[in-house]
Amino acid sequence: MTKETLLASVRLFLLDLDGTVYLDDRPIGEMKRTLRKLRAMGKKLVYLTNNSSRTEREYRRKLERIGLLEEGDGVYTSAMATVAYLKEHRKGARVFLVGTDALKEEFSEAGILLDEEDPDLCVLAYDVELTFGKIRKLDAFLRSGKPFFATHPDNVCPTGDGSMPDVGSFLAMFERSSGRTPDLVVGKPFRHMGDALSRATGIPKGEMCMVGDRMHTDIRFANANGMKSILVLSGETTEETMKNFPDRPDLVLPTLNDLL
Ligand SMILES: [Mg+2]
């Protein structure tokens, strides 16, 4: 696909964060100008991340601070997609949420009932405040057979100097201790977040383009949802390692700045 064809057919760009629009909190090249041009062309921008350790409010603050957020831009996390899923499919359910205090607040504000004693189901988010007490409690609920949801599947989360354990690593621990794997994983590369986004924006998935640096999450997500996709080589993937994956993006660019 040419850049021109892609630009003409896409109304909404879904932007992965780390490795795509910024690296170590610094916008990649002329990213501010690129995004300004896309907005001027009438394209809607939604920052999309699997990382459920931060809330929408926290991401908005961060993106504003580094100059990437303008009025009209959206922010969507796997935690927000989980809330949307629960409200649609598990209305009124009492939830044991393993997540940060800020995330618990976000769930509560969205109308999800949190219950640490006798929940209907359990949700595992990226809890960077995880304690042994929480681990023990979730393990007990899982062994008693409560439905089990995870916000996203990433094994590791990139940092300035390598990576740190993410939800996928926690899932490996809970599988060892309880024999359970999640009944549902919400975030990229699965379909639920795409469906939730389409409902929230009113834009069909075929008119969305996912821009990201990871083949097995970003590009797989686009293909699973029937979206267009751009792989940028400004993060995790190189032209060489790209070949190790079965998915193919519509475009491969050094950075998103090369689209315009
Ligand atoms: Mg990334």
Side-chain angles (χ1 to χ4, degrees):
M1 187 177 289
T2 65
K3 297 177 192 178
E4 290 71 24
T5 318
L6 184 138
L7 273 167
S9 64
V10 170
R11 284 162 67 197
L12 167 61
F13 282 91
L14 301 172
L15 306 171
D16 171 58
L17 296 176
D18 210 76
T20 300
V21 294
Y22 58 65
L23 269 176
D24 295 334
D25 294 2
R26 244 178 263 133
I28 294 171
E30 295 296 308
M31 192 58 63
K32 288 181 205 176
R33 199 169 64 186
T34 301
L35 300 181
R36 215 174 293 137
K37 281 190 199 162
L38 284 172
R39 291 185 198 100
M41 294 166 79
K43 309 300 181 190
K44 184 161 172 59
L45 307 180
V46 171
Y47 293 97
L48 185 69
T49 179
N50 263 359
N51 190 332
S52 56
S53 70
R54 287 191 172 140
T55 62
E56 178 186 10
R57 205 175 296 140
E58 290 170 319
Y59 270 117
R60 282 193 171 275
R61 223 176 287 139
K62 174 179 179 170
L63 287 162
E64 222 159 54
R65 176 166 49 79
I66 58 181
L68 292 176
L69 193 78
E70 299 279 329
E71 215 182 301
D73 293 350
V75 170
Y76 210 74
T77 70
S78 67
M80 293 163 70
T82 303
V83 165
Y85 182 89
L86 293 174
K87 289 179 98 165
E88 172 147 349
H89 299 281
R90 299 282 180 146
K91 213 170 163 46
R94 307 184 75 85
V95 174
F96 177 59
L97 173 64
V98 177
T100 62
D101 285 344
L103 192 70
K104 287 181 190 169
E105 220 176 282
E106 185 174 66
F107 268 56
S108 292
E109 281 172 16
I112 303 291
L113 303 167
L114 299 183
D115 187 335
E116 307 224 330
E117 301 311 321
D118 186 25
D120 299 310
L121 60 90
C122 303
V123 172
L124 176 64
Y126 189 15
D127 189 354
V128 293
E129 298 161 3
L130 191 63
T131 62
F132 188 71
K134 294 182 186 182
I135 292 173
R136 213 175 147 182
K137 205 160 205 172
L138 178 58
D139 172 67
F141 287 142
L142 296 183
R143 282 185 291 105
S144 76
K146 305 264 184 199
F148 179 28
F149 299 81
T151 54
H152 63 290
D154 302 43
N155 288 328
V156 295
C157 177
T159 65
D161 53 358
S163 67
M164 49 190 184
D166 201 332
V167 164
S169 302
F170 301 164
L171 288 174
M173 174 177 66
F174 286 111
E175 186 174 1
R176 286 290 184 93
S177 68
S178 69
R180 295 280 304 277
T181 54
D183 302 304
L184 182 88
V185 182
V186 175
K188 295 180 279 189
F190 302 108
R191 292 177 52 114
H192 311 285
M193 191 147 74
D195 294 337
L197 273 163
S198 187
R199 270 197 308 273
T201 59
I203 295 176
K205 293 198 278 188
E207 293 172 38
M208 297 183 186
C209 176
M210 179 73 219
V211 186
D213 69 313
R214 274 181 164 178
M215 289 296 290
H216 60 291
T217 52
D218 300 317
I219 304 308
R220 179 88 279 275
F221 173 74
N223 290 347
N225 279 283
M227 298 167 178
K228 311 273 185 318
S229 63
I230 299 174
L231 176 75
V232 288
L233 302 176
S234 46
E236 188 179 280
T237 310
T238 64
E239 239 160 333
E240 272 312 301
T241 58
M242 182 190 137
K243 296 176 188 143
N244 301 333
F245 298 89
D247 284 283
R248 286 293 160 262
D250 290 302
L251 280 177
V252 183
L253 300 172
T255 75
L256 178 58
N257 302 313
D258 299 285
L259 178 62
L260 303 173

